[in-house]
Amino acid sequence: MSPASGVQWHDNLEAGWRQARQLKRPMVIFITSRQCIYCDAMKRDTWCDQSVTQQLRDGYVAIRLTPEHNAETLSRIKVPAYPTTLIGLPEGKVVAHRIGYQPANTVRSLLGEIANSIKH
């Protein structure tokens, strides 16, 4: 999840949500933890996949939350395991919830489905 990918990851929900409302784009909320091998695998394999980063840049606001930096926010969200990935609409409704490692092809399909459902 480097700046080279061209995806701007917000490190707090409020800033990301504000941008999602301004741009009228859904949010991808990636909830991760420091010592989580599956989170690291998603950072390396899923979020750096070229087609996934393209989808994020073109139609989503990306938010990354960690218990180390977002404890108050995460106390209001049920996080049964790390990583957890949520897709939320700018109005605040969560429309997708995935627990655990999600490979690039799964995330690519999910982002495509959400984008298509919003257009219709």
Side-chain angles (χ1 to χ4, degrees), residues 5-120:
S5 71
V7 176
Q8 176 192 2
W9 286 87
H10 292 274
D11 288 325
N12 72 68
L13 182 63
E14 291 74 22
W17 194 0
R18 185 170 38 254
Q19 185 180 38
R21 288 190 305 264
Q22 288 170 347
L23 299 175
K24 296 179 176 43
R25 288 184 170 188
M27 300 166 281
V28 171
I29 305 167
F30 179 59
I31 304 171
T32 180
S33 181
R34 235 186 250 154
Q35 297 180 350
C36 167
I37 60 171
Y38 301 107
C39 300
D40 292 343
M42 275 191 77
K43 292 172 191 173
R44 180 186 64 241
D45 303 333
T46 305
W47 302 122
C48 289
D49 178 87
Q50 190 173 9
S51 59
V52 171
T53 59
Q54 186 69 48
Q55 284 177 295
L56 290 175
R57 282 194 308 263
D58 290 349
Y60 289 86
V61 173
I63 303 168
R64 176 184 44 228
L65 302 178
T66 65
E68 297 84 13
H69 296 104
N70 310 99
E72 185 180 329
T73 299
L74 292 177
S75 71
R76 300 186 310 256
I77 301 171
K78 184 176 172 161
V79 181
Y82 296 103
T84 293
T85 306
L86 308 173
I87 309 292
L89 300 179
E91 304 81 42
K93 180 181 179 185
V94 173
V95 294
H97 186 252
R98 301 291 183 271
I99 300 167
Y101 174 82
Q102 303 297 311
N105 62 338
T106 301
V107 170
R108 192 179 313 115
S109 295
L110 177 63
L111 296 178
E113 288 172 24
I114 299 297
N116 286 337
S117 70
I118 291 171
K119 290 177 187 174
H120 297 104

